[in-house]
Amino acid sequence: MRLIAANWKMNKTVAETEDYLTKFLKILGTPEDREVLICPPFTALYVAGRILKDTPIKIGAQNCHYEEKGAFTGEISIPMIKEVGCSYVIVGHSERRHIFGESDEVINRKLVACLERGVRPILCVGERIEDREAGMTFKVVETQIRLALSGIEGLTDLLDVAYEPVWAIGTGVPAKPEDAVTVHRFIKDLLKEINPKSEGRTRVLYGGSVNPENAPEFMKHKEVDGLLVGGASLDPEAFAKIVNSF
Ligand code: PEP
């Protein structure tokens, strides 16, 4: 099933989350032919989990730590996010990589921990503008994926990948759908090479300035298994339109 995911980033209080989800459920109904995922900030996960409990809409965290518990001030573990209802977690978002200096090694440890503890990670990859201008898009994406999957090559069916060119995130300038499709094809071929026994369950999502107007342009391509939406997911009407864009 195709997956449409909302990444709220550091937006929305508990009260705002309640308000959003009440509206969103009314507008959206309960779609059964597509998977809908909302990733609120940690503080709103509990209330989101309660509101969405008996609906098909899933919740996910935007980050996690790879250890189960201990002296890691300010961090949140996988058992903690699972307890409040998360079945997904975004790992290696470009803001984590480039603002908080998250390395490929840390991202790999997080993926390993997610798979061990039974939460489905969405691994984010994507090139910066200077990589693209230097013709390095494929090399950067390949390196990020190979390092992220180190030691868990046989488990690719248990995760999804989001291709998010860094220059397209939050800029209002999305990738051209044909360019994104080329990278999606590359990622799918690479995943097949990395895990020849895979059952092809890894979805490759596109992310980067998706809105209700351009979403159908991405979703009409069979290589695009879904979307990861930041800014436009903050408005329940806009996000519902994106969910219904195919
Ligand atoms: C994101 O945060 O993953 C994202 C794609 O953001 P935006 O849709 O705002 O570009």
Side-chain angles (χ1 to χ4, degrees):
M1 220 186 298
R2 292 165 109 192
L3 170 64
I4 308 295
N7 173 17
W8 286 0
K9 313 193 189 199
M10 196 172 72
N11 293 290
K12 297 199 189 293
T13 61
V14 168
E16 288 165 346
T17 300
E18 286 172 328
D19 186 47
Y20 177 109
L21 292 177
T22 310
K23 286 187 188 140
F24 185 63
L25 284 172
K26 265 194 208 133
I27 305 167
L28 190 73
T30 49
E32 277 162 18
D33 60 343
R34 57 205 65 200
E35 210 172 342
V36 182
L37 169 68
I38 298 194
C39 302
F42 288 123
T43 47
L45 281 173
Y46 179 71
V47 74
R50 290 188 67 135
I51 294 172
L52 297 175
K53 197 163 177 266
D54 296 317
T55 79
I57 299 166
K58 310 251 171 65
I59 60 165
Q62 300 170 17
N63 185 26
C64 64
H65 195 270
Y66 46 79
E67 293 292 348
E68 201 179 333
K69 59 181 174 182
F72 301 100
T73 301
E75 294 292 327
I76 304 283
S77 74
I78 296 166
M80 291 170 186
I81 61 169
K82 281 185 72 179
E83 185 191 32
V84 291
C86 290
S87 46
Y88 282 87
V89 57
I90 298 171
V91 175
H93 188 278
S94 81
E95 286 148 20
R96 303 278 343 147
R97 290 177 189 263
H98 301 301
I99 302 176
F100 300 104
E102 210 166 275
S103 67
D104 289 304
E105 194 209 329
V106 164
I107 290 164
N108 171 249
R109 292 182 77 169
K110 290 183 177 186
L111 289 182
V112 171
C114 286
L115 301 188
E116 269 174 8
R117 303 199 170 107
V119 65
R120 190 170 180 97
I122 300 176
L123 166 67
C124 298
V125 297
E127 80 286 3
R128 294 166 307 170
I129 191 65
E130 52 270 41
D131 304 320
R132 168 155 286 247
E133 285 169 353
M136 295 294 285
T137 297
F138 295 105
K139 189 74 217 152
V140 167
V141 167
E142 176 174 355
T143 305
Q144 288 173 337
I145 291 179
R146 284 194 191 278
L147 292 175
L149 297 182
S150 170
I152 45 170
E153 288 86 352
L155 299 176
T156 56
D157 283 323
L158 302 178
L159 55 91
D160 298 304
V161 173
Y163 169 56
E164 300 206 296
V166 178
W167 48 270
I169 297 181
T171 59
V173 183
K176 289 195 186 100
E178 335 51 283
D179 289 345
V181 164
T182 312
V183 181
H184 280 224
R185 251 187 236 127
F186 173 79
I187 292 173
K188 284 168 181 273
D189 290 346
L190 177 64
L191 289 170
K192 243 180 250 162
E193 188 217 300
I194 290 174
N195 181 11
K197 290 192 185 143
S198 110
E199 291 170 19
R201 297 216 181 135
T202 309
R203 290 164 294 189
V204 182
L205 318 182
Y206 168 76
S209 295
V210 170
N211 60 38
E213 288 69 47
N214 64 29
E217 297 306 310
F218 290 99
M219 292 309 292
K220 74 181 182 197
H221 297 278
K222 67 174 187 326
E223 292 84 354
V224 180
D225 303 310
L227 301 166
L228 180 52
V229 187
S233 74
L234 294 174
D235 173 54
E237 264 178 47
F239 187 52
K241 268 192 201 143
I242 293 172
V243 171
N244 289 324
S245 65
F246 63 101

